[in-house]
Amino acid sequence: MPAEPLGDLHSQLLRTRTVLLFGEVDASLAKRVTAQLFALAAAGDAPIRVVVSSPGGHVESGDAIHDVIRFIEPEVTMLGTGWVASAAALVYVAVPRERRFALPNTRFLLHQPLGAITGRAVEVEIEAAQILAIRRRIERIFADATGQSLDRIRADTDRNHWLSAEEAVAYGLVGEIVARPA
């Protein structure tokens, strides 16, 4: 039997109301994922599953996906696999903890936003203030999502904070580790 064309596979995933978020979180990925979420929401209120495996990327692109997940009417469930890092972790916590699942070997990474600022001193100052504001906002999101204190989140994300699936459950990031569909 010949291999199924990618378009057919993509259509089958959408029929099962499954959205894949794989790869770097950038404007292109955010556009594709949010378009799929809006299309599925318009098609009906049945739950949507988002499968995440990503090294992260641009925080604003992660914000776009995070906000759309919270905006649409259908219930969204997250399934982490591979790694869920940085901006992808921001997307992952868009749903309540009881709808955040991880496969057994998933790794998670939380850290403060990164920046590469160049230019005149006044622009550097403006950009630094923006990065600090983003950091405070993300810290609040992760504190609310995990139940950890802001001080704990701030301390843990001062450097790269890696968590195994088991550690992520204990931390409050993951609701449950699953090995098979429920």
Side-chain angles (χ1 to χ4, degrees):
M1 177 185 241
E4 191 172 82
L6 188 56
D8 291 343
L9 181 60
H10 181 72
S11 295
Q12 183 177 352
L13 283 169
L14 290 178
R15 278 194 301 279
T16 64
R17 299 182 66 81
T18 300
V19 174
L20 300 181
L21 191 160
F22 278 61
E24 182 178 349
V25 177
D26 60 12
S28 177
L29 181 75
K31 179 181 177 182
R32 181 180 54 78
V33 168
T34 58
Q36 290 173 6
L37 290 167
F38 277 125
L40 291 172
D45 289 333
I48 298 169
R49 174 181 31 219
V50 176
V51 183
V52 181
S53 180
S54 169
H58 298 104
V59 71
E60 290 83 1
S61 296
D63 284 337
I65 301 167
H66 176 102
D67 289 346
V68 167
I69 288 168
R70 297 177 63 91
F71 178 79
I72 60 175
E73 289 294 326
E75 183 177 279
V76 176
T77 299
M78 291 287 173
L79 177 63
T81 185
W83 61 339
V84 178
S86 189
L90 175 65
V91 171
Y92 183 80
V93 300
V95 302
R97 187 178 312 147
E98 62 270 11
R99 294 198 319 257
R100 295 193 307 249
F101 299 93
L103 295 177
N105 294 307
T106 309
R107 294 187 332 139
F108 294 85
L109 170 62
L110 306 179
H111 62 79
Q112 60 181 286
L114 306 173
I117 304 169
T118 62
R120 297 181 314 177
V122 68
E123 278 85 17
V124 170
E125 186 176 342
I126 292 167
E127 293 303 314
Q130 286 299 304
I131 290 171
L132 291 172
I134 290 168
R135 180 180 182 185
R136 286 189 300 272
R137 182 176 54 78
I138 290 172
E139 289 168 348
R140 283 191 303 277
I141 290 170
F142 282 120
D144 290 344
T146 63
Q148 299 293 335
S149 70
L150 269 172
D151 287 339
R152 170 85 188 263
I153 295 291
R154 195 169 291 123
D156 289 346
T157 60
D158 191 46
R159 300 267 189 247
N160 284 352
H161 186 68
W162 286 98
L163 301 130
S164 67
E166 295 85 7
E167 291 165 336
V169 169
Y171 199 77
L173 190 63
V174 171
E176 183 180 348
I177 299 170
V178 294
R180 298 208 165 302

